[in-house]
Amino acid sequence: MSFNDLYGSKMKKIIFLFSLFYSLIGFSQNDQLAMNYFDKGEFEKALVSFQDLLTSQPGNGFYFQKAIECYQQLKKYDVAEKAILDRYNKYKQSSLLIELGANYQLQKDESKAKKYFEQALDKIKKNPSEVYGIAAVFERKVLIDYALQSYEIALEIDSNMNFNFQMAVLYGQKGETDKMIEKFLEESYKNPQNLILIQNQFTRFMTENADVTFNEALRKALLIRIQKNQDVFWNQYLSWFYVQQKEFGKAFIQEKAIYKRNPESLSKIVNLAQISIEEDEKETAKEILAFILENSKDTDLQMQAHYFLTEMKINDPAIKDYSEIEKDLVSLLNQYGITPYSIKLQILKAHFNTFQMKNPTQGKAILKTALGLPINEYQKADVKMELADIFLFEEKFNQASLYYSQIEEDLKNDVVGHEATLKSAKTSYFKGDFVWALKQFKELKTVSSQLIANDALEYFLLINDNTVADSTQTALKQFARGDYLIYQNKPQEALLQFQDILNNFKGKEIESVTIYRLGKIYEKIGDYQSALSQYQKIIDQHSEGIYIDEALFFTAEIYNKKLIDIEKAKSFYEKLVFHHQDSIHFVDARKKFRELRGDNKEL
């Protein structure tokens, strides 16, 4: 082949590729134009566009479907019927029978509609594999009973087929939750790889609907399976259910039953203890941790259990004498040694020495020794984070910022890196550099961690609102000092600081958040009546402010968990549910209100 021939051949290929490329762009633009017309309700224009697209791609089912919908929107039912029949005669797609039935349904001719729907069902009787396309179209047309019939007919012919998941979803849409539960549980056991997907479906019903009847039905269904089938799969399922309901003691009973039959690992029980601590179910957590220490010879698990028990003691407001905790920590580190495996205990002791014993020098010495150990990057970040926290405790703001920055740099786009950024922003806030702090908090509002994003948003609003209200930032500076005293674990000094702010800035923008801070401090030190008094001030005097839902929620929580006054707790949950549906506490409040009310009334 000559050079010219070769060159000509290559040029033809290039021209062909360019032509193909631009034709695809053209199709994409025409597609978008057609959908734009359709979405705007300009059905005449949309119809013309979809017809043009079908001329080029006659087999495209999506374009055909949209063209039919345009005819129907324009009430051209006869034209739609002819188009569907022509396509059916050409392609013999059984699902087009449903399109014909739906077209008659739009004309209020139910008898003809039913005739075509039953013809579609007959196709499944002749060939069960037709069910996939037919059921999908019935679902799309929201013909749920026909979709269910489709699956049932196919299963009668071929019992090896499995439509548990699809049928469960349809039963859920119909509100037949008992049947939905049965199908989902059957599918869970048959195909455990779908378990998380199914549990997510259950969680949606438990949280979005918060229906006591549904929760009770699911619990009973699981209990029946445990009685009939000795497989620990069902104990694990019931444990998961109780965790969703925050009934950790009941979850623990199931986990113990699992462990007794299969004593290989206690890791799930450790996780349950951790969740119980996070949810302030301290007594249940202690019971679980005691069980771990009694039954496990695994050093790591024992260390974890001791860590959680000691941390709970440190955070217990009723404990005033820390000498026993100091002895416990020394004993534990002697037992487990200063190694990479005990790094969390070392950090805990450094924190305890600094924030409880007010000995930051000893805390820093522990951490500097830890940094000399062969630890991984996340352990190193944890040690540096605590070291930065101690520098911040000492008011060495620049040194604290330096360590936070190192963590940010080492773990970019990681939740630990974001946590370091949040702490760096708080450092700027504590020292009164509100401009830089505001910039950092603003960036953190959109991070994936909801806890960090919510925290950042709270501080962003605090600085922004009080800067607008007071350009000198006098009140804000005093408020930041109060927050810093909370950080240093000096609650009594913080109380005096915030009370002073209330006296000096009564009626100002900062008043409501100051009252809220006082409430949280009183809660932390276990003075629940004083906390309730502060929250009541917000309810009475600042009902239009942004802290009203917090005041209602935390008042309800104190009555529910600390003072065990169910009626009062219920009334405050109820106020939040009915009057503050945009609150971040709404879902929790609604769930707890319904649990305390004990019935399935709709809200």
Side-chain angles (χ1 to χ4, degrees):
M1 184 181 288
S2 69
F3 173 79
N4 287 337
D5 289 340
L6 186 62
Y7 178 78
S9 174
K10 284 187 175 179
M11 285 304 295
K12 284 178 183 176
K13 286 180 181 177
I14 291 169
I15 290 167
F16 170 75
L17 289 171
F18 269 110
S19 300
L20 179 62
F21 175 71
Y22 283 111
S23 67
L24 288 172
I25 290 175
F27 272 124
S28 176
Q29 290 173 338
N30 291 339
D31 184 305
Q32 289 176 3
L33 183 65
M35 284 305 301
N36 188 42
Y37 284 138
F38 189 89
D39 292 339
K40 286 162 65 176
E42 297 180 24
F43 299 113
E44 291 278 10
K45 292 179 181 178
L47 179 59
V48 172
S49 296
F50 283 122
Q51 285 173 332
D52 287 344
L53 289 164
L54 277 168
T55 302
S56 303
Q57 297 184 47
N60 190 303
F62 176 77
Y63 295 152
F64 176 76
Q65 175 64 37
K66 286 297 173 188
I68 294 300
E69 287 178 30
C70 288
Y71 286 130
Q72 290 167 341
Q73 289 288 344
L74 297 166
K75 302 196 185 307
K76 295 181 178 180
Y77 302 115
D78 291 343
V79 182
E81 181 180 356
K82 184 179 183 307
I84 298 167
L85 282 169
D86 288 347
R87 192 172 183 85
Y88 179 72
N89 291 329
K90 183 176 181 179
Y91 293 107
K92 303 299 181 186
Q93 289 176 305
S94 301
S95 58
L96 290 167
L97 293 167
I98 304 167
E99 296 291 350
L100 281 168
N103 196 54
Y104 276 111
Q105 231 180 14
L106 291 170
Q107 300 171 72
K108 311 296 184 189
D109 191 336
E110 291 295 334
S111 61
K112 282 190 178 178
K114 185 180 178 183
K115 182 184 81 171
Y116 283 109
F117 294 152
E118 289 180 347
Q119 282 182 29
L121 295 175
D122 287 339
K123 294 286 184 181
I124 301 172
K125 292 173 185 175
K126 293 173 184 174
N127 180 8
S129 63
E130 289 268 23
V131 69
Y132 298 101
I134 289 170
V137 177
F138 275 132
E139 286 184 52
R140 180 158 50 79
K141 298 291 183 185
V142 200
L143 297 163
I144 297 173
D145 286 326
Y146 279 108
L148 284 166
Q149 268 188 270
S150 301
Y151 292 127
E152 286 162 0
I153 290 167
L155 287 170
E156 282 176 16
I157 300 166
D158 185 353
S159 59
N160 291 321
M161 286 181 157
N162 180 9
F163 305 112
N164 288 328
F165 192 93
Q166 295 93 322
M167 294 177 77
V169 171
L170 291 169
Y171 283 130
Q173 289 175 15
K174 285 188 71 180
E176 296 182 15
T177 51
D178 284 348
K179 290 182 179 178
M180 180 191 80
I181 288 168
E182 288 300 310
K183 285 293 179 186
F184 270 144
L185 292 183
E186 189 180 329
E187 177 64 12
S188 298
Y189 194 65
K190 195 169 185 178
N191 293 299
Q193 69 272 18
N194 293 331
L195 181 62
I196 293 174
L197 189 62
I198 291 166
Q199 287 178 338
N200 286 340
Q201 291 283 331
F202 281 144
T203 301
R204 184 172 62 81
F205 270 82
M206 284 189 273
T207 57
E208 288 183 12
N209 299 315
D211 190 330
V212 174
T213 303
F214 172 79
N215 294 342
E216 185 60 17
L218 178 55
R219 185 184 72 85
K220 284 181 178 177
L222 289 167
L223 285 170
I224 288 167
R225 279 163 174 76
I226 286 173
Q227 291 163 2
K228 288 182 177 179
N229 185 335
Q230 297 303 304
D231 196 323
V232 295
F233 176 86
W234 297 114
N235 297 92
Q236 290 166 344
Y237 220 129
L238 190 57
S239 174
W240 167 84
F241 170 80
Y242 284 133
V243 169
Q244 306 313 300
Q245 298 298 301
K246 298 188 178 180
E247 296 182 85
F248 304 111
K250 292 179 180 178
F252 180 43
I253 291 169
Q254 296 305 316
E255 291 297 338
K256 280 195 291 187
I258 295 164
Y259 180 74
K260 285 174 183 175
R261 288 164 59 188
N262 185 19
E264 289 183 10
S265 173
L266 281 159
S267 59
K268 286 189 176 179
I269 297 182
V270 173
N271 291 338
L272 183 60
Q274 193 167 3
I275 295 168
S276 301
I277 294 166
E278 289 167 1
E279 294 292 335
D280 201 31
E281 295 286 341
K282 300 294 194 315
E283 293 308 311
T284 301
K286 287 176 186 175
E287 187 184 348
I288 297 170
L289 293 167
F291 179 84
I292 293 165
L293 290 172
E294 187 181 332
N295 289 277
S296 177
K297 292 188 171 27
D298 184 291
T299 303
D300 286 342
L301 287 181
Q302 285 189 338
M303 208 182 325
Q304 272 186 284
H306 282 302
Y307 175 90
F308 289 134
L309 283 167
T310 307
E311 188 179 44
M312 277 195 288
K313 286 180 188 173
I314 291 170
N315 294 327
D316 187 345
I319 293 178
K320 306 299 180 188
D321 182 5
Y322 294 118
S323 57
E324 286 302 315
I325 298 175
E326 171 73 8
K327 288 177 187 174
D328 287 345
L329 281 166
V330 169
S331 173
L332 287 169
L333 285 171
N334 285 336
Q335 180 181 348
Y336 296 112
I338 306 300
T339 74
Y341 301 105
S342 66
I343 206 77
K344 287 189 73 177
L345 273 174
Q346 294 169 54
I347 293 171
L348 184 63
K349 186 164 193 312
H351 187 91
F352 172 77
N353 286 135
T354 301
F355 289 87
Q356 272 70 36
M357 304 299 287
K358 311 304 180 191
N359 188 349
T361 302
Q362 190 174 359
K364 286 188 292 186
I366 292 167
L367 296 172
K368 285 176 180 176
T369 300
L371 283 175
L373 297 171
I375 52 180
N376 64 43
E377 62 175 342
Y378 283 97
Q379 289 176 312
K380 191 173 288 185
D382 288 341
V383 174
K384 285 186 175 182
M385 193 87 81
E386 189 62 42
L387 196 52
D389 291 349
I390 293 175
F391 280 125
L392 182 54
F393 174 90
E394 295 180 301
E395 299 193 45
K396 294 176 180 176
F397 299 119
N398 292 337
Q399 285 170 280
S401 295
L402 179 65
Y403 276 102
Y404 291 137
S405 298
Q406 287 178 13
I407 299 165
E408 290 175 69
E409 186 63 31
D410 293 340
L411 295 169
K412 286 177 182 175
N413 301 319
D414 187 282
V415 68
V416 178
H418 292 148
E419 185 185 352
T421 307
L422 180 68
K423 290 190 173 187
S424 179
K426 286 184 181 180
T427 302
S428 301
Y429 162 72
F430 289 146
K431 70 178 183 179
D433 186 354
F434 299 126
V435 174
W436 180 239
L438 196 67
K439 181 179 182 297
Q440 289 175 294
F441 287 131
K442 185 177 181 180
E443 290 172 357
L444 285 165
K445 288 192 301 174
T446 57
V447 298
S448 56
S449 167
Q450 197 61 52
L451 285 173
I452 291 173
N454 287 344
D455 209 357
L457 177 61
E458 181 188 339
Y459 280 94
F460 176 83
L461 293 173
L462 172 69
I463 297 170
N464 192 61
D465 292 351
N466 287 284
T467 300
V468 171
D470 174 16
S471 59
T472 65
Q473 299 177 326
T474 306
L476 185 59
K477 287 171 186 171
Q478 292 184 29
F479 191 91
R481 180 64 189 172
D483 272 348
Y484 181 62
L485 290 167
I486 294 174
Y487 172 80
Q488 288 183 304
N489 194 29
K490 296 176 180 177
Q492 296 304 325
E493 291 178 46
L495 285 173
L496 292 173
Q497 179 74 9
F498 287 118
Q499 286 162 353
D500 194 42
I501 293 169
L502 279 185
N503 293 331
N504 293 330
F505 300 95
K506 192 160 185 64
K508 301 296 183 183
E509 175 73 29
I510 207 152
E511 183 179 32
S512 61
V513 67
T514 304
I515 298 169
Y516 175 63
R517 279 292 194 277
L518 284 167
K520 294 309 291 178
I521 295 169
Y522 282 125
E523 256 197 273
K524 186 176 180 181
I525 63 177
D527 186 350
Y528 300 117
Q529 291 299 337
S530 294
L532 288 172
S533 173
Q534 297 304 316
Y535 295 145
Q536 192 61 47
K537 285 181 187 176
I538 295 174
I539 294 166
D540 294 339
Q541 301 168 20
H542 299 275
S543 60
E544 301 302 315
I546 62 172
Y547 294 99
I548 179 64
D549 59 322
E550 269 87 0
L552 290 168
F553 183 74
F554 291 118
T555 297
E557 289 283 277
I558 290 171
Y559 279 124
N560 190 21
K561 294 182 178 179
K562 304 299 180 183
L563 304 181
I564 321 299
D565 188 332
I566 301 305
E567 288 306 311
K568 283 188 177 178
K570 191 164 61 176
S571 71
F572 284 100
Y573 285 133
E574 184 178 19
K575 285 173 187 173
L576 193 151
V577 167
F578 280 99
H579 301 293
H580 302 279
Q581 295 184 359
D582 58 344
S583 169
I584 61 170
H585 303 295
F586 172 76
V587 172
D588 269 352
R590 182 178 61 177
K591 183 172 182 290
K592 289 175 181 179
F593 171 63
R594 288 187 168 185
E595 286 171 356
L596 294 181
R597 190 173 60 175
D599 60 29
N600 62 333
K601 291 177 186 173
E602 290 299 320
L603 293 181

